[in-house]
Amino acid sequence: MKYFATLLFLTAAFGLHAQQINTLKKTEDTLSFIRSKRMSDSDLQKKKEGTFLTGIPDFSSDPVTGFGLGLRSNIYWNGKRDNLLFPYTPYLMRFKANAAYYTSNARELVLSLDVPYYKGSRWRFKVDFKAQQNPSNLYFGSTEETLGELRLPSAPMGSSGYGTYKAFDVARKTLRQGQAGEAASMVSDALSNRFRETEFMLNLKADYALGKGVWRLMGGYEIQHLAYATFEGKETDAVDPLTGQETKALNGTSLLRRDFQQGKISGLEGGWISILQAALIYDTRDFEPDPTKGFYFEAANEYSSKYIGSQFNFNKLFLQGRYYKKLPVGPRTVFAARFGAGNIFGKQAPFFEFQDQWSPDGSINSLGGRQSLRGYRANRFLARSVWFANFEIRARLAEARLGKQYFGFGIAPFFDAGTVRDRWQDISFKNIKTSFGAGARISWNQSTILFFDYGISKEDRLFFFGIGQIF
């Protein structure tokens, strides 16, 4: 009996030792190709060990969604400093949980798990889940005609537009005579550029580092269920054109509904979307959440078809390049630049696919909003083809430790540019929309970046707040 127990113990110990040796070999193989990603000595000294939580409250207010309260949080597993991968990885594992609730019953739940260099290997796994209902999505059209001035949904062709969003917003609320099929004799257009989206999404991705590791090949699968509604007949804000007094009125026909009825767009009925994803990635960044040097390039593709259980047929291609260079100014000043270009193939591609470009790092709303043109509203310019560029100077001004927490404080002046076209063959540098501005950056334990950006364009002035560098 003693002999059997000893044999069992030795077998278990040998198995554990063999497993440790196998993990160490994987780690050494991984180190052989990611040494170029080593963090700078100054950043490495500030990288936090072990497991820790970062979280901030999320407050917002919108005329449609009302007041919102939420939480944006991350749990990081960084490991110990004696881990061979510690100087080279942004984290060993990260779990993100964002939740928000609004007085209009709008809500959002986002969960995400990211495991780079799984068990010291070349594999990286990501799982994302989202459940949300958003009644404040914006729609201004889905062709290159959106590059023109803002126009009311009910305006006849050839009529003049509005040079600023403020003037456009006043005009939308001004009462007008109801048209055939509308809910009243006098209606408002206050909600006519908005629509509600309800989404449930599950995404699974895995990538594998090739050769010396700067190239990665990624594959994924995503399934979504989407539902849409517009606000015809809903009571909303209005202004009497004779007296200038504020009042209430029923909303007229929305632009999205008009375009659907006229056959200009498809997909308003929503449904199930099944998507196969693939990407080729080149990445030499030294620290993914907040790089100081390196390149990032991706060629990403999404394919949706009835043959894989989808109700929609389309194919989306997106190319993106990023560049980071530490400048010899101050303790940590980085020049960051990004260029992206995408196209949607398929005559009946649904309208909602025009509103973002898929990237393995996370989808990018285009064109307008905090991820592309920060001086314009989200989805201000839409068409089948898009290109955009972003430039930032990220300068660290001060650093501080509060207990066991490390914080860095900086500024980031920026310049954005981009345009859209109905055909990729027509993409050019004509009719470019630009915006500029400046932002504040707060680095929390290296991995969590808080941003505060104020964007300016000919049309608008916008403030954005959130977590993470935009690229």
Side-chain angles (χ1 to χ4, degrees):
M1 189 69 178
K2 289 182 178 179
Y3 171 76
F4 178 75
T6 302
L7 181 62
L8 185 64
F9 173 78
L10 291 174
T11 301
F14 177 78
L16 180 60
H17 182 62
Q19 184 179 10
Q20 290 174 335
I21 291 176
N22 187 47
T23 300
L24 182 60
K25 286 182 177 179
K26 287 182 179 179
T27 302
E28 289 176 342
D29 173 61
T30 301
L31 280 174
S32 70
F33 65 77
I34 67 168
R35 293 192 185 278
S36 64
K37 290 175 169 286
R38 191 181 190 279
M39 299 173 64
S40 66
D41 291 338
S42 60
D43 282 350
L44 183 58
Q45 291 176 3
K46 300 158 192 167
K47 186 177 179 182
K48 190 176 176 66
E49 285 187 289
T51 302
F52 60 93
L53 169 70
T54 62
I56 58 172
D58 183 15
F59 299 97
S60 63
S61 180
D62 186 274
V64 178
T65 58
F67 177 76
L69 175 64
L71 176 68
R72 295 175 178 268
S73 63
N74 292 282
I75 301 176
Y76 292 96
W77 288 266
N78 271 358
K80 299 296 184 180
R81 290 188 179 274
D82 58 6
N83 187 317
L84 295 177
L85 292 176
F86 191 84
Y88 304 95
T89 58
Y91 39 79
L92 296 179
M93 184 164 59
R94 182 193 69 181
F95 178 74
K96 177 174 71 175
N98 297 342
Y101 182 81
Y102 301 83
T103 53
S104 64
N105 204 32
R107 65 203 73 176
E108 178 184 67
L109 173 66
V110 176
L111 304 175
S112 177
L113 180 67
D114 182 17
V115 187
Y117 305 111
Y118 174 71
K119 290 188 175 180
S121 73
R122 294 170 175 257
W123 285 99
R124 181 175 192 161
F125 298 101
K126 291 183 179 182
V127 180
D128 297 296
F129 171 79
K130 178 165 68 173
Q132 63 101 10
Q133 183 181 81
N134 184 359
S136 58
N137 283 292
L138 295 173
Y139 178 79
F140 300 97
S142 59
T143 71
E144 61 186 73
E145 290 183 1
T146 55
L147 292 170
E149 290 186 327
L150 291 160
R151 297 174 64 252
L152 294 175
S154 57
M157 293 298 295
S159 59
S160 60
Y162 299 89
T164 66
Y165 195 88
K166 183 177 181 180
F168 172 67
D169 200 39
V170 171
R172 286 192 307 175
K173 295 177 183 179
T174 302
L175 285 170
R176 63 170 176 83
Q177 189 171 1
Q179 300 175 354
E182 293 189 315
S185 58
M186 297 295 290
V187 297
S188 169
D189 282 321
L191 302 179
S192 295
N193 290 92
R194 294 181 180 265
F195 65 94
R196 183 174 69 231
E197 177 184 67
T198 304
E199 175 187 12
F200 295 92
M201 181 275 290
L202 176 65
N203 182 259
L204 309 172
K205 294 191 289 287
D207 70 54
Y208 186 79
L210 304 172
K212 295 184 178 180
V214 294
W215 289 96
R216 306 201 314 265
L217 189 62
M218 196 224 76
Y221 175 74
E222 180 171 297
I223 186 166
Q224 295 174 286
H225 186 270
L226 299 171
Y228 296 95
T230 49
F231 300 109
E232 289 80 16
K234 180 180 177 63
E235 186 177 76
T236 186
D237 297 332
V239 175
D240 190 310
L242 299 177
T243 65
Q245 295 295 312
E246 294 184 355
T247 183
K248 295 288 184 180
L250 300 183
N251 197 66
T253 304
S254 73
L255 177 59
L256 182 59
R257 180 68 61 180
R258 286 178 192 272
D259 282 359
F260 179 72
Q261 292 172 344
Q262 294 172 10
K264 295 181 179 180
I265 60 106
S266 64
L268 187 55
E269 68 277 11
W272 287 98
I273 301 93
S274 178
I275 300 174
L276 292 178
Q277 300 168 327
L280 180 63
I281 302 166
Y282 176 83
D283 188 3
T284 64
R285 294 173 296 175
D286 60 344
F287 187 60
E288 288 181 26
D290 191 18
T292 65
K293 65 178 181 179
F295 298 89
Y296 177 90
F297 169 80
E298 67 183 21
N301 191 82
E302 284 192 312
Y303 171 76
S304 178
S305 164
K306 63 181 181 181
Y307 299 112
I308 57 172
S310 181
Q311 294 178 230
F312 301 94
N313 298 317
F314 61 86
N315 196 68
K316 295 174 68 173
L317 176 65
F318 180 59
L319 305 176
Q320 178 184 188
R322 307 177 192 172
Y323 173 69
Y324 306 91
K325 173 68 174 179
K326 189 173 183 181
L327 303 178
V329 180
R332 193 182 193 275
T333 302
V334 178
F335 171 71
R338 173 175 66 176
F339 180 85
N343 189 74
I344 303 172
F345 301 91
K347 291 183 178 180
Q348 295 301 314
F351 81 95
F352 47 81
E353 291 298 333
F354 286 54
Q355 298 184 104
D356 70 81
Q357 300 294 322
W358 175 72
S359 164
D361 259 10
S363 293
I364 302 169
N365 287 102
S366 59
L367 188 63
R370 73 177 182 89
Q371 293 176 305
S372 52
L373 291 181
R374 282 165 278 188
Y376 290 93
R377 303 279 166 149
N379 300 322
R380 172 62 182 89
F381 311 107
L382 289 187
R384 282 185 176 273
S385 297
V386 59
W387 76 256
F388 59 90
N390 309 106
F391 305 92
E392 293 188 354
I393 300 292
R394 301 169 181 173
R396 183 73 54 83
L397 300 180
E399 298 174 346
R401 282 192 179 274
L402 300 176
K404 295 183 179 181
Q405 307 298 309
Y406 165 79
F407 294 92
F409 304 91
I411 58 172
F414 60 82
F415 177 80
D416 307 322
T419 191
V420 297
R421 294 292 188 272
D422 294 332
R423 303 190 317 149
W424 65 266
Q425 297 92 331
D426 297 329
I427 283 289
S428 69
F429 292 97
K430 295 180 179 179
N431 205 355
I432 298 173
K433 301 300 179 180
T434 62
S435 66
F436 65 94
R441 299 289 186 271
I442 300 177
S443 169
W444 183 1
N445 289 333
Q446 299 294 100
S447 300
T448 298
I449 308 298
L450 310 182
F451 74 86
F452 307 80
D453 284 347
Y454 185 71
I456 300 171
S457 71
K458 294 180 179 179
E459 201 172 272
D460 221 337
R461 305 285 190 275
L462 297 170
F463 176 75
F464 302 96
F465 162 71
I467 295 181
Q469 300 282 15
I470 71 162
F471 66 93

